[in-house]
Amino acid sequence: MALKNHSTVTQFIFTGLSDEPHLEALLFVLFLVIYILTLTGNLMMLFVVRTDSRLHTPMYFFLSNLSFLDLCFSSVTVPKLLEDLLSEKKTISVEGCLAQVFFVFITAGTEAFLLSMMAYDRYAAICHPLLYGQMMSNQLCVRLVLTSWGLASINSTVIVLLAVTLDFCEAQTIHHYVCELPSLFPLSCSDVSIHINILICVTVLHGFGTSLPIFISYARIISTILGISSTTGRNKAFNTCSSHLIAVFLFFGSGLVRYLMPTSGSSLDLLASLQYSVITPMLNPLIYSLKNNDVKAAVKRTLGYYL
């Protein structure tokens, strides 16, 4: 690997979430439960959408892709976190660290694009209900998902190339529990100012490109909802959007804080990363199932059929 040609460091050491053995044991149990809930909730969502023909609509097609992404996203970070909570020395190879940087960014980046596509889907359903089938055809939905993966892959490649060109001479300790590019900058013995500027530009472009369609879609959705004379109709329209809005705020808020704020090694960095990479993948299936009568009914039908 090119990185080894100009770096004397072969592995990194995480400080992790704590250095107290008793606290680490409690954290291990906590995050193991979170990971099991994440796997169970998202696998259940995938299974229900797949097996229940009433959920074979664009909205649930995007939701099943979101569940798949959350499975991948949490599996990039949580298993290593669980391993380190049981280990005395929390190490990761340089190659493993770069792989984690890539997969964290591609899964998170794809999820950001997918949330943007889901906002457009809600706009089409509420603002143009009679044309919804034409606006959200199966071919278009597949293309939107593939486009999300493709654009996120390009961004992830840029991020990894930034990491590969860093020099690591002596410092090995990452004040974090996972490899993220902002956490690697303080360890580099080369000038990282250009790298930081490129990362900020990529993050801003990514964030702007995914949040702008969400903002425009919801501006039109709110305008349409306010024009509905029936209180029941307004409530129904709002309920179809509230789950998506909660997921957007949880994900974008913590993700942008992590990548746009200077890395300080403080608890804020840890909390922001935990929020978007560990907590949000667990909460998404709960948010969409608890606030969606169609999903709750489908879960009951599926469990009733198989049990």
Side-chain angles (χ1 to χ4, degrees):
M1 181 172 285
L3 184 63
K4 289 187 176 180
N5 294 333
H6 53 87
S7 177
T8 59
V9 173
T10 59
Q11 66 177 13
F12 297 113
I13 302 171
F14 293 125
T15 57
L17 299 178
S18 174
D19 55 3
E20 294 290 335
H22 296 297
L23 182 56
E24 284 187 322
L26 292 175
L27 289 173
F28 174 82
V29 174
L30 172 64
F31 286 108
L32 179 61
V33 171
I34 289 175
Y35 189 51
I36 292 173
L37 289 175
T38 301
L39 295 179
T40 304
N42 286 291
L43 285 173
M44 174 62 76
M45 190 68 70
L46 281 170
F47 182 72
V48 168
V49 172
R50 172 95 178 162
T51 57
D52 197 310
S53 59
R54 301 183 196 186
L55 300 185
H56 291 174
T57 63
M59 174 182 174
Y60 297 107
F61 171 74
F62 289 125
L63 184 55
S64 62
N65 277 275
L66 180 66
S67 293
F68 175 73
L69 269 172
D70 284 334
L71 283 173
C72 297
F73 195 9
S74 60
S75 296
V76 172
T77 57
V78 180
K80 177 59 178 171
L81 172 60
L82 293 173
E83 177 191 343
D84 288 341
L85 287 171
L86 296 179
S87 304
E88 198 170 314
K89 195 171 184 182
K90 306 168 178 57
T91 60
I92 187 171
S93 65
V94 172
E95 293 82 0
C97 188
L98 291 178
Q100 205 170 51
V101 167
F102 177 80
F103 286 112
V104 164
F105 210 86
I106 191 173
T107 50
T110 305
E111 184 157 336
F113 281 115
L114 189 61
L115 289 171
S116 180
M117 309 299 182
M118 293 172 73
Y120 176 74
D121 172 72
R122 292 299 81 209
Y123 156 74
I126 293 174
C127 299
H128 303 283
L130 299 180
L131 300 175
Y132 180 66
Q134 297 176 357
M135 293 177 66
M136 300 303 298
S137 64
N138 292 334
Q139 294 83 355
L140 177 62
C141 293
V142 172
R143 288 196 199 104
L144 290 176
V145 170
L146 293 177
T147 301
S148 299
W149 279 100
L151 293 175
S153 299
I154 294 173
N155 284 337
S156 304
T157 302
V158 172
I159 295 299
V160 169
L161 290 176
L162 289 179
V164 167
T165 56
L166 293 174
D167 292 319
F168 301 100
C169 304
E170 295 180 2
Q172 292 179 274
T173 303
I174 299 177
H175 295 282
H176 214 286
Y177 71 91
V178 67
C179 279
E180 293 175 330
L181 189 57
S183 299
L184 297 180
F185 287 149
L187 307 184
S188 177
C189 53
S190 56
D191 182 13
V192 297
S193 57
I194 296 178
H195 297 73
I196 292 175
N197 290 333
I198 294 175
L199 176 63
I200 291 174
C201 289
V202 169
T203 304
V204 169
L205 287 174
H206 195 146
F208 182 76
T210 52
S211 61
L212 183 61
I214 295 174
F215 178 79
I216 294 174
S217 296
Y218 275 102
R220 296 186 176 182
I221 287 171
I222 292 172
S223 176
T224 300
I225 291 176
L226 293 177
I228 299 175
S229 57
S230 168
T231 303
T232 304
R234 284 199 299 268
N235 291 337
K236 184 178 179 181
F238 177 75
N239 285 333
T240 62
C241 301
S242 57
S243 298
H244 180 255
L245 277 175
I246 293 172
V248 167
F249 285 130
L250 287 174
F251 181 80
F252 276 84
S254 54
L256 291 176
V257 166
R258 180 68 187 106
Y259 280 89
L260 292 181
M261 296 292 289
T263 299
S264 60
S266 65
S267 57
L268 179 61
D269 294 341
L270 296 175
L271 289 174
S273 294
L274 285 172
Q275 172 61 56
Y276 83 86
S277 67
V278 179
I279 305 301
T280 299
M282 178 192 68
L283 291 180
N284 276 343
L286 295 175
I287 292 170
Y288 280 99
S289 61
L290 291 177
K291 295 184 67 64
N292 190 307
N293 292 327
D294 291 337
V295 173
K296 286 190 286 188
V299 170
K300 289 178 181 178
R301 286 194 297 268
T302 303
L303 292 178
Y305 178 79
Y306 286 99
L307 298 180

Short mmCIF file of all heavy atoms in Angstrom, two decimals, residues 25-74:
data_model
loop_
_atom_site.label_atom_id
_atom_site.label_comp_id
_atom_site.label_asym_id
_atom_site.label_seq_id
_atom_site.Cartn_x
_atom_site.Cartn_y
_atom_site.Cartn_z
N ALA A 25 -17.21 -2.99 30.93
CA ALA A 25 -18.10 -4.16 30.95
C ALA A 25 -19.55 -3.74 30.79
O ALA A 25 -20.32 -4.36 30.05
CB ALA A 25 -17.90 -4.93 32.25
N LEU A 26 -19.93 -2.66 31.48
CA LEU A 26 -21.30 -2.16 31.35
C LEU A 26 -21.56 -1.64 29.93
O LEU A 26 -22.63 -1.88 29.37
CB LEU A 26 -21.55 -1.04 32.38
CG LEU A 26 -21.58 -1.47 33.85
CD1 LEU A 26 -21.71 -0.25 34.75
CD2 LEU A 26 -22.75 -2.43 34.10
N LEU A 27 -20.58 -0.93 29.38
CA LEU A 27 -20.72 -0.41 28.03
C LEU A 27 -20.83 -1.55 27.01
O LEU A 27 -21.56 -1.45 26.02
CB LEU A 27 -19.55 0.51 27.68
CG LEU A 27 -19.52 1.86 28.40
CD1 LEU A 27 -18.22 2.60 28.09
CD2 LEU A 27 -20.72 2.72 28.00
N PHE A 28 -20.08 -2.63 27.25
CA PHE A 28 -20.15 -3.78 26.35
C PHE A 28 -21.57 -4.34 26.32
O PHE A 28 -22.12 -4.62 25.24
CB PHE A 28 -19.17 -4.87 26.79
CG PHE A 28 -19.28 -6.13 26.00
CD1 PHE A 28 -18.66 -6.25 24.76
CD2 PHE A 28 -20.04 -7.21 26.47
CE1 PHE A 28 -18.78 -7.42 24.01
CE2 PHE A 28 -20.16 -8.37 25.73
CZ PHE A 28 -19.53 -8.48 24.50
N VAL A 29 -22.17 -4.52 27.48
CA VAL A 29 -23.54 -5.03 27.55
C VAL A 29 -24.50 -4.07 26.85
O VAL A 29 -25.38 -4.49 26.08
CB VAL A 29 -23.96 -5.26 29.01
CG1 VAL A 29 -25.44 -5.65 29.09
CG2 VAL A 29 -23.09 -6.32 29.66
N LEU A 30 -24.33 -2.77 27.12
CA LEU A 30 -25.21 -1.76 26.52
C LEU A 30 -25.14 -1.79 25.00
O LEU A 30 -26.17 -1.86 24.31
CB LEU A 30 -24.83 -0.37 27.04
CG LEU A 30 -25.54 0.82 26.37
CD1 LEU A 30 -27.04 0.77 26.62
CD2 LEU A 30 -24.96 2.14 26.85
N PHE A 31 -23.91 -1.77 24.44
CA PHE A 31 -23.78 -1.71 22.99
C PHE A 31 -24.08 -3.05 22.33
O PHE A 31 -24.47 -3.09 21.16
CB PHE A 31 -22.39 -1.20 22.60
CG PHE A 31 -22.22 0.27 22.84
CD1 PHE A 31 -21.43 0.74 23.88
CD2 PHE A 31 -22.89 1.20 22.05
CE1 PHE A 31 -21.30 2.10 24.11
CE2 PHE A 31 -22.76 2.55 22.27
CZ PHE A 31 -21.96 3.01 23.30
N LEU A 32 -23.91 -4.14 23.07
CA LEU A 32 -24.33 -5.44 22.54
C LEU A 32 -25.84 -5.48 22.38
O LEU A 32 -26.36 -5.94 21.36
CB LEU A 32 -23.87 -6.57 23.46
CG LEU A 32 -24.26 -7.99 23.03
CD1 LEU A 32 -23.65 -8.33 21.68
CD2 LEU A 32 -23.84 -9.01 24.10
N VAL A 33 -26.57 -4.97 23.38
CA VAL A 33 -28.03 -4.90 23.31
C VAL A 33 -28.45 -3.98 22.15
O VAL A 33 -29.36 -4.31 21.37
CB VAL A 33 -28.62 -4.40 24.64
CG1 VAL A 33 -30.12 -4.11 24.49
CG2 VAL A 33 -28.40 -5.42 25.75
N ILE A 34 -27.77 -2.83 22.02
CA ILE A 34 -28.09 -1.90 20.92
C ILE A 34 -27.87 -2.58 19.57
O ILE A 34 -28.69 -2.45 18.65
CB ILE A 34 -27.24 -0.63 21.04
CG1 ILE A 34 -27.71 0.22 22.22
CG2 ILE A 34 -27.29 0.19 19.75
CD1 ILE A 34 -26.86 1.44 22.49
N TYR A 35 -26.77 -3.31 19.45
CA TYR A 35 -26.46 -3.98 18.17
C TYR A 35 -27.48 -5.06 17.85
O TYR A 35 -27.93 -5.20 16.70
CB TYR A 35 -25.05 -4.56 18.22
CG TYR A 35 -24.55 -5.08 16.90
CD1 TYR A 35 -24.61 -4.28 15.75
CD2 TYR A 35 -24.01 -6.36 16.79
CE1 TYR A 35 -24.14 -4.75 14.53
CE2 TYR A 35 -23.53 -6.83 15.57
CZ TYR A 35 -23.61 -6.03 14.44
OH TYR A 35 -23.15 -6.49 13.24
N ILE A 36 -27.87 -5.83 18.85
CA ILE A 36 -28.89 -6.88 18.65
C ILE A 36 -30.22 -6.25 18.24
O ILE A 36 -30.90 -6.74 17.33
CB ILE A 36 -29.05 -7.73 19.93
CG1 ILE A 36 -27.79 -8.56 20.17
CG2 ILE A 36 -30.26 -8.65 19.81
CD1 ILE A 36 -27.77 -9.31 21.48
N LEU A 37 -30.60 -5.16 18.90
CA LEU A 37 -31.83 -4.46 18.54
C LEU A 37 -31.75 -3.90 17.11
O LEU A 37 -32.73 -3.93 16.36
CB LEU A 37 -32.11 -3.33 19.52
CG LEU A 37 -32.54 -3.73 20.94
CD1 LEU A 37 -32.66 -2.50 21.83
CD2 LEU A 37 -33.85 -4.49 20.90
N THR A 38 -30.57 -3.39 16.75
CA THR A 38 -30.37 -2.86 15.39
C THR A 38 -30.54 -3.95 14.36
O THR A 38 -31.26 -3.77 13.35
CB THR A 38 -28.98 -2.23 15.26
OG1 THR A 38 -28.82 -1.19 16.23
CG2 THR A 38 -28.76 -1.65 13.87
N LEU A 39 -29.88 -5.09 14.58
CA LEU A 39 -30.00 -6.21 13.65
C LEU A 39 -31.44 -6.71 13.57
O LEU A 39 -31.98 -6.93 12.49
CB LEU A 39 -29.06 -7.35 14.07
CG LEU A 39 -27.56 -7.07 14.02
CD1 LEU A 39 -26.79 -8.29 14.50
CD2 LEU A 39 -27.12 -6.69 12.62
N THR A 40 -32.05 -6.89 14.74
CA THR A 40 -33.41 -7.44 14.78
C THR A 40 -34.41 -6.50 14.10
O THR A 40 -35.22 -6.93 13.26
CB THR A 40 -33.85 -7.69 16.23
OG1 THR A 40 -32.92 -8.54 16.88
CG2 THR A 40 -35.23 -8.32 16.28
N GLY A 41 -34.35 -5.22 14.45
CA GLY A 41 -35.30 -4.26 13.90
C GLY A 41 -35.18 -4.11 12.40
O GLY A 41 -36.18 -4.12 11.67
N ASN A 42 -33.95 -3.97 11.91
CA ASN A 42 -33.76 -3.75 10.47
C ASN A 42 -34.00 -5.02 9.66
O ASN A 42 -34.54 -4.95 8.55
CB ASN A 42 -32.36 -3.21 10.21
CG ASN A 42 -32.22 -1.75 10.62
OD1 ASN A 42 -32.78 -0.86 10.01
ND2 ASN A 42 -31.46 -1.50 11.69
N LEU A 43 -33.62 -6.17 10.20
CA LEU A 43 -33.92 -7.43 9.50
C LEU A 43 -35.43 -7.66 9.45
O LEU A 43 -35.96 -8.14 8.43
CB LEU A 43 -33.22 -8.60 10.19
CG LEU A 43 -31.71 -8.71 9.95
CD1 LEU A 43 -31.12 -9.81 10.83
CD2 LEU A 43 -31.41 -9.00 8.48
N MET A 44 -36.12 -7.34 10.55
CA MET A 44 -37.57 -7.47 10.56
C MET A 44 -38.21 -6.55 9.52
O MET A 44 -39.13 -6.94 8.79
CB MET A 44 -38.11 -7.15 11.96
CG MET A 44 -39.63 -7.11 12.05
SD MET A 44 -40.42 -8.69 11.66
CE MET A 44 -40.07 -9.59 13.18
N MET A 45 -37.70 -5.30 9.43
CA MET A 45 -38.23 -4.37 8.45
C MET A 45 -38.02 -4.88 7.02
O MET A 45 -38.93 -4.84 6.18
CB MET A 45 -37.57 -3.00 8.62
CG MET A 45 -38.21 -1.90 7.82
SD MET A 45 -39.87 -1.46 8.39
CE MET A 45 -39.47 -0.69 9.96
N LEU A 46 -36.83 -5.40 6.75
CA LEU A 46 -36.54 -5.96 5.44
C LEU A 46 -37.46 -7.13 5.12
O LEU A 46 -38.01 -7.24 4.02
CB LEU A 46 -35.08 -6.42 5.37
CG LEU A 46 -34.01 -5.35 5.15
CD1 LEU A 46 -32.62 -5.93 5.36
CD2 LEU A 46 -34.12 -4.77 3.75
N PHE A 47 -37.64 -8.00 6.09
CA PHE A 47 -38.45 -9.20 5.89
C PHE A 47 -39.92 -8.85 5.67
O PHE A 47 -40.57 -9.39 4.77
CB PHE A 47 -38.29 -10.13 7.10
CG PHE A 47 -39.05 -11.42 6.98
CD1 PHE A 47 -38.63 -12.40 6.10
CD2 PHE A 47 -40.19 -11.65 7.74
CE1 PHE A 47 -39.33 -13.59 5.97
CE2 PHE A 47 -40.89 -12.83 7.62
CZ PHE A 47 -40.46 -13.80 6.74
N VAL A 48 -40.43 -7.93 6.47
CA VAL A 48 -41.84 -7.55 6.36
C VAL A 48 -42.12 -6.88 5.02
O VAL A 48 -43.11 -7.19 4.34
CB VAL A 48 -42.25 -6.63 7.53
CG1 VAL A 48 -43.61 -6.00 7.28
CG2 VAL A 48 -42.28 -7.42 8.84
N VAL A 49 -41.26 -5.95 4.61
CA VAL A 49 -41.46 -5.26 3.33
C VAL A 49 -41.35 -6.24 2.17
O VAL A 49 -42.09 -6.14 1.19
CB VAL A 49 -40.44 -4.11 3.17
CG1 VAL A 49 -40.51 -3.50 1.78
CG2 VAL A 49 -40.69 -3.03 4.23
N ARG A 50 -40.47 -7.20 2.32
CA ARG A 50 -40.27 -8.19 1.25
C ARG A 50 -41.47 -9.12 1.12
O ARG A 50 -41.88 -9.47 0.00
CB ARG A 50 -39.01 -8.99 1.55
CG ARG A 50 -38.77 -10.18 0.64
CD ARG A 50 -37.87 -9.85 -0.48
NE ARG A 50 -37.59 -10.99 -1.32
CZ ARG A 50 -37.11 -10.90 -2.55
NH1 ARG A 50 -36.87 -9.70 -3.06
NH2 ARG A 50 -36.87 -11.96 -3.28
N THR A 51 -42.03 -9.55 2.24
CA THR A 51 -43.05 -10.60 2.20
C THR A 51 -44.48 -10.07 2.09
O THR A 51 -45.36 -10.78 1.64
CB THR A 51 -42.96 -11.48 3.46
OG1 THR A 51 -43.07 -10.66 4.64
CG2 THR A 51 -41.62 -12.22 3.49
N ASP A 52 -44.72 -8.83 2.53
CA ASP A 52 -46.08 -8.29 2.52
C ASP A 52 -46.30 -7.50 1.23
O ASP A 52 -45.71 -6.44 1.02
CB ASP A 52 -46.31 -7.40 3.74
CG ASP A 52 -47.78 -7.14 4.00
OD1 ASP A 52 -48.49 -6.75 3.05
OD2 ASP A 52 -48.23 -7.32 5.14
N SER A 53 -47.19 -7.99 0.38
CA SER A 53 -47.41 -7.35 -0.92
C SER A 53 -48.00 -5.95 -0.79
O SER A 53 -47.87 -5.13 -1.70
CB SER A 53 -48.34 -8.23 -1.78
OG SER A 53 -49.58 -8.42 -1.13
N ARG A 54 -48.66 -5.67 0.34
CA ARG A 54 -49.26 -4.34 0.52
C ARG A 54 -48.18 -3.27 0.72
O ARG A 54 -48.49 -2.07 0.62
CB ARG A 54 -50.20 -4.35 1.72
CG ARG A 54 -51.33 -5.36 1.60
CD ARG A 54 -52.27 -5.29 2.77
NE ARG A 54 -53.12 -6.47 2.85
CZ ARG A 54 -54.10 -6.64 3.70
NH1 ARG A 54 -54.38 -5.69 4.57
NH2 ARG A 54 -54.83 -7.74 3.71
N LEU A 55 -46.97 -3.67 1.01
CA LEU A 55 -45.89 -2.72 1.22
C LEU A 55 -44.97 -2.61 0.01
O LEU A 55 -43.89 -2.03 0.10
CB LEU A 55 -45.06 -3.11 2.45
CG LEU A 55 -45.81 -3.18 3.78
CD1 LEU A 55 -44.84 -3.46 4.93
CD2 LEU A 55 -46.57 -1.89 4.07
N HIS A 56 -45.40 -3.17 -1.13
CA HIS A 56 -44.58 -3.09 -2.33
C HIS A 56 -44.86 -1.78 -3.06
O HIS A 56 -45.42 -1.74 -4.16
CB HIS A 56 -44.85 -4.29 -3.23
CG HIS A 56 -44.36 -5.58 -2.67
ND1 HIS A 56 -44.59 -6.82 -3.24
CD2 HIS A 56 -43.63 -5.83 -1.54
CE1 HIS A 56 -44.03 -7.76 -2.52
NE2 HIS A 56 -43.45 -7.18 -1.48
N THR A 57 -44.49 -0.67 -2.40
CA THR A 57 -44.66 0.67 -2.94
C THR A 57 -43.32 1.39 -2.87
O THR A 57 -42.41 0.94 -2.16
CB THR A 57 -45.71 1.45 -2.14
OG1 THR A 57 -45.25 1.61 -0.79
CG2 THR A 57 -47.05 0.71 -2.12
N PRO A 58 -43.16 2.50 -3.59
CA PRO A 58 -41.88 3.22 -3.57
C PRO A 58 -41.43 3.61 -2.16
O PRO A 58 -40.25 3.49 -1.83
CB PRO A 58 -42.16 4.46 -4.43
CG PRO A 58 -43.21 4.02 -5.38
CD PRO A 58 -44.08 3.07 -4.61
N MET A 59 -42.37 4.06 -1.32
CA MET A 59 -42.00 4.48 0.03
C MET A 59 -41.31 3.36 0.80
O MET A 59 -40.27 3.55 1.43
CB MET A 59 -43.25 4.94 0.78
CG MET A 59 -43.00 5.28 2.24
SD MET A 59 -44.54 5.74 3.06
CE MET A 59 -43.97 5.89 4.76
N TYR A 60 -41.87 2.16 0.72
CA TYR A 60 -41.32 1.04 1.48
C TYR A 60 -40.13 0.41 0.76
O TYR A 60 -39.30 -0.25 1.40
CB TYR A 60 -42.41 0.02 1.77
CG TYR A 60 -43.49 0.61 2.64
CD1 TYR A 60 -44.74 0.94 2.11
CD2 TYR A 60 -43.25 0.90 3.98
CE1 TYR A 60 -45.71 1.53 2.89
CE2 TYR A 60 -44.21 1.49 4.77
CZ TYR A 60 -45.44 1.80 4.23
OH TYR A 60 -46.39 2.40 5.02
N PHE A 61 -40.03 0.62 -0.54
CA PHE A 61 -38.82 0.22 -1.24
C PHE A 61 -37.63 1.01 -0.72
O PHE A 61 -36.56 0.45 -0.42
CB PHE A 61 -38.99 0.45 -2.75
CG PHE A 61 -37.72 0.26 -3.54
CD1 PHE A 61 -37.22 -1.00 -3.79
CD2 PHE A 61 -37.03 1.36 -4.03
CE1 PHE A 61 -36.05 -1.18 -4.52
CE2 PHE A 61 -35.87 1.20 -4.77
CZ PHE A 61 -35.38 -0.07 -5.01
N PHE A 62 -37.80 2.33 -0.57
CA PHE A 62 -36.74 3.16 0.00
C PHE A 62 -36.48 2.78 1.47
O PHE A 62 -35.34 2.77 1.92
CB PHE A 62 -37.11 4.64 -0.10
CG PHE A 62 -37.06 5.19 -1.50
CD1 PHE A 62 -38.16 5.83 -2.05
CD2 PHE A 62 -35.91 5.08 -2.26
CE1 PHE A 62 -38.12 6.33 -3.34
CE2 PHE A 62 -35.85 5.59 -3.55
CZ PHE A 62 -36.96 6.21 -4.09
N LEU A 63 -37.55 2.50 2.19
CA LEU A 63 -37.40 2.15 3.60
C LEU A 63 -36.63 0.85 3.78
O LEU A 63 -35.80 0.73 4.69
CB LEU A 63 -38.78 2.04 4.26
CG LEU A 63 -38.82 1.78 5.76
CD1 LEU A 63 -38.01 2.84 6.50
CD2 LEU A 63 -40.26 1.77 6.26
N SER A 64 -36.87 -0.13 2.92
CA SER A 64 -36.11 -1.38 3.00
C SER A 64 -34.64 -1.16 2.67
O SER A 64 -33.76 -1.77 3.27
CB SER A 64 -36.72 -2.43 2.06
OG SER A 64 -36.66 -2.01 0.70
N ASN A 65 -34.37 -0.27 1.72
CA ASN A 65 -32.97 0.06 1.41
C ASN A 65 -32.31 0.80 2.58
O ASN A 65 -31.13 0.60 2.86
CB ASN A 65 -32.89 0.92 0.15
CG ASN A 65 -32.94 0.11 -1.12
OD1 ASN A 65 -31.92 -0.38 -1.60
ND2 ASN A 65 -34.13 -0.06 -1.68
N LEU A 66 -33.09 1.64 3.27
CA LEU A 66 -32.56 2.31 4.46
C LEU A 66 -32.22 1.29 5.54
O LEU A 66 -31.19 1.41 6.20
CB LEU A 66 -33.59 3.32 4.97
CG LEU A 66 -33.19 4.12 6.21
CD1 LEU A 66 -32.01 5.04 5.90
CD2 LEU A 66 -34.37 4.94 6.75
N SER A 67 -33.06 0.29 5.72
CA SER A 67 -32.79 -0.76 6.71
C SER A 67 -31.53 -1.54 6.35
O SER A 67 -30.72 -1.86 7.23
CB SER A 67 -33.99 -1.71 6.81
OG SER A 67 -35.11 -1.06 7.35
N PHE A 68 -31.36 -1.84 5.07
CA PHE A 68 -30.14 -2.53 4.64
C PHE A 68 -28.90 -1.69 4.92
O PHE A 68 -27.87 -2.19 5.39
CB PHE A 68 -30.23 -2.87 3.15
CG PHE A 68 -28.98 -3.48 2.59
CD1 PHE A 68 -28.62 -4.78 2.90
CD2 PHE A 68 -28.14 -2.73 1.76
CE1 PHE A 68 -27.45 -5.35 2.39
CE2 PHE A 68 -26.97 -3.29 1.25
CZ PHE A 68 -26.63 -4.60 1.56
N LEU A 69 -28.99 -0.39 4.63
CA LEU A 69 -27.88 0.51 4.89
C LEU A 69 -27.55 0.58 6.38
O LEU A 69 -26.38 0.58 6.78
CB LEU A 69 -28.20 1.92 4.38
CG LEU A 69 -27.79 2.24 2.95
CD1 LEU A 69 -28.35 3.59 2.55
CD2 LEU A 69 -26.28 2.23 2.82
N ASP A 70 -28.59 0.65 7.22
CA ASP A 70 -28.36 0.71 8.66
C ASP A 70 -27.70 -0.56 9.18
O ASP A 70 -26.87 -0.52 10.09
CB ASP A 70 -29.68 0.95 9.39
CG ASP A 70 -30.14 2.40 9.29
OD1 ASP A 70 -29.29 3.28 9.11
OD2 ASP A 70 -31.36 2.65 9.38
N LEU A 71 -28.07 -1.70 8.60
CA LEU A 71 -27.39 -2.95 8.96
C LEU A 71 -25.90 -2.87 8.62
O LEU A 71 -25.05 -3.24 9.44
CB LEU A 71 -28.03 -4.13 8.21
CG LEU A 71 -29.36 -4.66 8.72
CD1 LEU A 71 -29.92 -5.69 7.74
CD2 LEU A 71 -29.20 -5.29 10.09
N CYS A 72 -25.60 -2.42 7.41
CA CYS A 72 -24.20 -2.30 6.98
C CYS A 72 -23.46 -1.28 7.83
O CYS A 72 -22.31 -1.52 8.27
CB CYS A 72 -24.13 -1.91 5.51
SG CYS A 72 -24.84 -3.12 4.38
N PHE A 73 -24.08 -0.13 8.05
CA PHE A 73 -23.44 0.98 8.76
C PHE A 73 -23.06 0.56 10.18
O PHE A 73 -21.92 0.75 10.62
CB PHE A 73 -24.40 2.17 8.79
CG PHE A 73 -23.75 3.47 9.16
CD1 PHE A 73 -22.37 3.59 9.27
CD2 PHE A 73 -24.53 4.60 9.39
CE1 PHE A 73 -21.78 4.80 9.61
CE2 PHE A 73 -23.94 5.80 9.74
CZ PHE A 73 -22.57 5.90 9.85
N SER A 74 -24.01 -0.02 10.92
CA SER A 74 -23.72 -0.40 12.29
C SER A 74 -22.70 -1.53 12.35
O SER A 74 -21.89 -1.61 13.29
CB SER A 74 -25.01 -0.83 13.00
OG SER A 74 -25.61 -1.93 12.35
#
